Amino acid sequence: MDDLRLRRCPATEMMLLCAVAASLFFCGVLAGETFVYYDWEVSYLTVSPLGVPQTVIAVNGSFPGPLMNITTNWNVVVNVLNSLDEPLLLTWRNSWQDGVLGTNCPIPPGWNWTYEFQAKDQIGSFFYFPSLFLQRTSGGFGGITVNNREVIPVPFGKPDGEFEVFIGDWYIKNHTELRKMLDEGKELGVPDGILINGKGPYRYNTTLVPDNIKYETLNVQPGKVYRIRVHNVGTSTSLNFRVQNHSLLLIETEGTYTTQQNMSDIDIHVGQSYSFLLSANQDASNDYYIVASPRFVNESTDQKWSTVNGVAILKYDGSKGVLSDKLPDGPNDLYYKEYSINQAKSIKMNTSAGAARPNPQGSFKYGTINITKTYIIKSKNNVLINGKKRATLNGISYKPPETPLRQADLFNLSRVYTMDFPSRPMDRKAEKIGASVINETYKGFIEIVLVNNDTGVQNFHLDGYSFFVVGMEYGEWTENSRNSYDKWSAVSRTTTQVFSGAWTAVLVSLDNVGIWNLRSENLDRWYLGQETYLRVSDPDGYNKTEMIMPSNALFCGLLKSKQKDQVHVKSGASYIRIGRVGLIVVLFLVGFIIIA
Ligand SMILES: *[C@@H]1O[C@H](CO)[C@@H](O)[C@H](O)[C@H]1NC(C)=O
Ligand SMILES: *[C@@H]1O[C@H](CO)[C@@H](O)[C@H](O)[C@H]1NC(C)=O
Ligand SMILES: *[C@@H]1O[C@H](CO)[C@@H](O)[C@H](O)[C@H]1NC(C)=O
Ligand SMILES: *[C@@H]1O[C@H](CO)[C@@H](O)[C@H](O)[C@H]1NC(C)=O
Ligand SMILES: *[C@@H]1O[C@H](CO)[C@@H](O)[C@H](O)[C@H]1NC(C)=O
Ligand SMILES: *[C@@H]1O[C@H](CO)[C@@H](O)[C@H](O)[C@H]1NC(C)=O
Ligand SMILES: *[C@@H]1O[C@H](CO)[C@@H](O)[C@H](O)[C@H]1NC(C)=O
Ligand SMILES: *[C@@H]1O[C@H](CO)[C@@H](O)[C@H](O)[C@H]1NC(C)=O
Ligand SMILES: *[C@@H]1O[C@H](CO)[C@@H](O)[C@H](O)[C@H]1NC(C)=O
Ligand SMILES: *[C@@H]1O[C@H](CO)[C@@H](O)[C@H](O)[C@H]1NC(C)=O
Ligand SMILES: *[C@@H]1O[C@H](CO)[C@@H](O)[C@H](O)[C@H]1NC(C)=O
Ligand SMILES: *[C@@H]1O[C@H](CO)[C@@H](O)[C@H](O)[C@H]1NC(C)=O
């Protein structure tokens, strides 16, 4: 079976530690020719995107962080210095480099850690972010573009330029304050705004938008074609993205070329990435609005929503400014809820295009493979467990142990976590807090049905793999629902939405050894426990199919005595010596969520 699109690193003559990041693969052995080095400091920065000064997380001094622009099979070395006051981890995906608490100890404040991975057999648009405890609500994200190798034809002409666009709901409160609210059992409430590339809205309405807000401008030249990569990096709000009077030609999502379609607007859910071609073919004497507006909100229950819009400007070279103060209308599907799900179902894989390799994307005939196991995973509104407000999956609210699960396995520590994640939702009485993971078999082919009994749209992401999104419907999932699955051209991606009162079914080919995070991308739900891990162990024993633990691995929890001190120069000058990674109470992971 030639599975090009999956994150498996093909066995090379070299020993391979392959891993697939939650979005990117990382192969442990740096086998290719090209190396690229990044030196990034993660630090706080004060900016005022909505007119009020606030602390955000910058990478290398910028917010959003710098673009990692690489090509299939390049080797990437990223040295990350944590200049925050909290532990930090960047999450990339070979399980040793994945940057989530199940696989890595967080980088303590003042320490650095060097990630090394290969973008093996990957292409596409992804983003990285701090993966721990709501840090993404304060920033720390940036783009990852994996370009095709020149030798592989892509299903569209070379664009004249490219833009990265980060959209997301945004709070003026910083991540530590938001964390406190969730710890106290409160809801985060309606966001204060929607940012586009870290900036507030253009002043399209003088009542709604204060003066002196910096807004984003994309500069274009008439007649040219641009590739726009759009990522929803927000907390929990699904956003409708559109460009006034311009259509967006959808070409790719999270590492898969899609069948192409012209869209006047698209719903982009939290954690998702899409890329489009935009032709600058409209009247060039004026400018156009770029809008990201909230979806599925009832403005009459909270007036504040009507003031929350992300607005940037598409500026033609030599133009005279925008024409009107009225934003282009988005869909209104509080009353027409099929719009969004139908749009999602229309996004298909381009089965004949090659991607990272020349073979057509459709040549991995996933629809002919027998399913080895089915998991039905249900999310619902927060519940009280032992007096604490928590979020659950199948009744279990995940609490990360202090020792990374993968290290616990390696050092034969048996009581760190359990392998009893239920394959069906449990009843209320059994709800609990714990570290319960899914134990699966290498080379299995599993079906995961995500069921959303929560009040809002849910979004799920699996590290280390991309999955085929074969079905999505409102109502109950039954075995008969399988008859409606797309068995040929389902899009393969790493993040999927699950509408409220609906289910989404995905198929996963378990070809990547490791312990992989399956989580809610809604940051509040994730923080409150909506995650688990998928454990796929090496059938031949350690150091055969999986990469070995890197020599610079940090240790913590039960293994903290293995950790040596680190001496380094902190930005500025003075040498700082920091002791062992102690009891880390607040864990901070910079999760580079890359998608394969
Ligand atoms: C990081 O910042 C330094 C100094 O400002 C700059 O020279 C370098 O190009 C930046 N790196 C990236 C990847 O943006
Ligand atoms: C990223 O790299 C590609 C290929 O090297 C190049 O064509 C493109 O201009 C780069 N994009 C940016 C934003 O630097
Ligand atoms: C920290 O950075 C220094 C140089 O900047 C590097 O030599 C060292 O290996 C890094 N430490 C780790 C644990 O990655
Ligand atoms: C977040 O905001 C609180 C309250 O304003 C403040 O005490 C805290 O220092 C801030 N945290 C950061 C990291 O800036
Ligand atoms: C600006 O927004 C306010 C409040 O929603 C609205 O009443 C007003 O009509 C808007 N102004 C324009 C010019 O659209
Ligand atoms: C958008 O297109 C419509 C219909 O062609 C036209 O009336 C309107 O002026 C255009 N808007 C802008 C901002 O050019
Ligand atoms: C998209 O729209 C453009 C311009 O109207 C057209 O040339 C192109 O054929 C359309 N593409 C698709 C896939 O519909
Ligand atoms: C929005 O909220 C109002 C007030 O609670 C309610 O009457 C209305 O039915 C809601 N609209 C929708 C579409 O749910
Ligand atoms: C799938 O299962 C069917 C029925 O059990 C069996 O006949 C078929 O050979 C299996 N296909 C593969 C590819 O294993
Ligand atoms: C976990 O799965 C592996 C591979 O299928 C199996 O060998 C092992 O016995 C399982 N462990 C438990 C505790 O279920
Ligand atoms: C959640 O489940 C309950 C019980 O099955 C059902 O009555 C309710 O309609 C569901 N709500 C959603 C949003 O799915
Ligand atoms: C992994 O396997 C290789 C090749 O057999 C061997 O050279 C290396 O020492 C092994 N490493 C570990 C940590 O077991």
Side-chain angles (χ1 to χ4, degrees), residues 149 233 291 297 301 305 328 450 519:
R149 290 178 291 151
V233 293
V291 182
V297 298
T301 52
W305 276 115
L450 301 158
R519 60 166 173 273

Side-chain angles (χ1 to χ4, degrees), residues 198-503:
K199 294 175 185 150
Y202 171 84
R203 200 172 188 207
Y204 64 96
N205 177 315
T206 52
T207 316
L208 296 178
V209 183
D211 203 0
N212 291 323
I213 300 263
K214 273 200 200 124
Y215 59 89
E216 181 68 345
T217 303
L218 306 187
N219 292 295
V220 298
Q221 289 180 340
K224 301 244 157 128
V225 177
Y226 299 86
R227 182 169 183 173
I228 307 192
R229 301 175 195 258
V230 191
H231 315 272
N232 185 335
V233 293
T235 300
S236 62
T237 310
S238 297
L239 298 173
N240 182 263
F241 182 79
R242 53 198 184 271
V243 180
Q244 188 175 34
N245 283 27
H246 288 74
S247 65
L248 298 163
L249 181 68
L250 176 67
I251 52 173
E252 179 257 350
T253 182
E254 298 167 10
T256 295
Y257 291 122
T258 60
T259 54
Q260 298 182 2
Q261 57 172 310
N262 283 309
M263 306 175 98
S264 55
D265 65 83
I266 180 170
D267 287 341
I268 304 183
H269 304 275
V270 175
Q272 294 184 334
S273 301
Y274 285 97
S275 60
F276 308 97
L277 294 182
L278 178 139
S279 298
N281 57 8
Q282 296 298 301
D283 179 354
S285 66
N286 60 271
D287 296 335
Y288 298 85
Y289 289 121
I290 298 168
V291 182
S293 60
R295 293 289 272 138
F296 316 110
V297 298
N298 185 341
E299 294 184 10
S300 64
T301 52
D302 200 329
Q303 287 288 312
K304 194 176 158 195
W305 276 115
S306 62
T307 68
V308 180
N309 274 308
V311 185
I313 297 297
L314 184 76
K315 183 163 186 47
Y316 277 76
D317 201 14
S319 71
K320 299 195 199 66
V322 287
L323 271 188
S324 69
D325 44 18
K326 193 176 169 309
L327 299 181
D329 287 332
N332 174 1
D333 72 4
L334 267 185
Y335 303 97
Y336 177 34
K337 66 179 190 170
E338 302 297 334
Y339 181 93
S340 195
I341 199 167
N342 286 342
Q343 184 184 65
K345 287 196 279 193
S346 75
I347 297 170
K348 298 291 190 191
M349 173 167 63
N350 177 338
T351 52
S352 60
R357 296 205 235 161
N359 316 43
Q361 294 182 128
S363 61
F364 181 64
K365 296 186 168 47
Y366 68 89
T368 63
I369 305 173
N370 288 335
I371 290 166
T372 53
K373 175 113 187 214
T374 297
Y375 292 86
I376 297 176
I377 299 183
K378 187 173 187 172
S379 54
K380 56 181 197 171
N381 219 325
N382 294 342
V383 293
L384 277 183
I385 304 180
N386 306 335
K388 281 256 166 217
K389 200 174 238 186
R390 299 286 303 182
T392 57
L393 291 178
N394 279 2
I396 300 186
S397 185
Y398 188 86
K399 183 161 181 286
E402 274 176 33
T403 313
L405 314 182
R406 187 64 197 90
Q407 286 187 354
D409 267 2
L410 189 59
F411 293 92
N412 293 318
L413 304 172
S414 59
R415 260 176 255 144
V416 170
Y417 67 97
T418 57
M419 293 186 230
D420 56 356
F421 188 86
S423 62
R424 297 289 182 277
M426 295 197 298
D427 72 40
R428 275 236 62 198
K429 287 189 268 338
E431 281 169 351
K432 63 175 185 189
I433 297 176
S436 171
V437 315
I438 296 172
N439 184 39
E440 261 299 334
T441 307
Y442 181 61
K443 303 259 176 175
F445 191 73
I446 63 171
E447 174 186 41
I448 303 177
V449 182
L450 301 158
V451 176
N452 181 2
N453 191 240
D454 206 337
T455 44
V457 178
Q458 257 290 9
N459 299 285
F460 286 91
H461 177 90
L462 176 61
D463 283 359
Y465 290 93
S466 61
F467 43 58
F468 296 94
V469 183
V470 292
M472 193 184 284
E473 295 293 346
Y474 284 102
E476 292 277 316
W477 180 88
T478 66
E479 306 230 331
N480 288 336
S481 305
R482 291 191 181 123
N483 297 333
S484 70
Y485 286 3
D486 179 344
K487 297 208 160 161
W488 169 239
S489 57
V491 72
S492 173
R493 61 188 306 167
T494 60
T495 310
T496 186
Q497 73 271 42
V498 192
F499 294 96
S500 175
W503 54 266

Side-chain angles (χ1 to χ4, degrees), residues 64-137:
L67 173 67
M68 177 178 285
N69 188 22
I70 58 180
T71 298
T72 307
N73 295 347
W74 280 15
N75 301 297
V76 183
V77 179
V78 197
N79 188 22
V80 174
L81 171 62
N82 176 11
S83 294
L84 305 182
D85 58 355
E86 300 179 326
L88 167 78
L89 254 188
L90 297 187
T91 166
W92 319 82
R93 325 311 144 109
N94 90 37
S95 98
W96 294 112
Q97 312 274 341
D98 193 18
V100 290
L101 288 180
T103 51
N104 296 76
C105 296
I107 307 169
W111 285 49
N112 68 316
W113 155 260
T114 305
Y115 295 87
E116 297 190 7
F117 55 86
Q118 187 184 14
K120 185 75 184 163
D121 286 335
Q122 305 238 28
I123 59 115
S125 312
F126 310 101
F127 66 94
Y128 61 85
F129 67 87
S131 61
L132 261 196
F133 297 146
L134 290 185
Q135 280 167 342
R136 188 168 97 199
T137 63

Side-chain angles (χ1 to χ4, degrees), residues 43-49 52-58 63 84-85 135 137-139 170-177:
S43 59
Y44 292 124
L45 179 73
T46 302
V47 293
S48 310
V52 182
Q54 63 180 125
T55 304
V56 301
I57 296 173
F63 165 70
L84 305 182
D85 58 355
Q135 280 167 342
T137 63
S138 285
W170 187 258
Y171 293 91
I172 289 171
K173 289 194 167 84
N174 65 36
H175 64 284
T176 57
E177 290 175 276

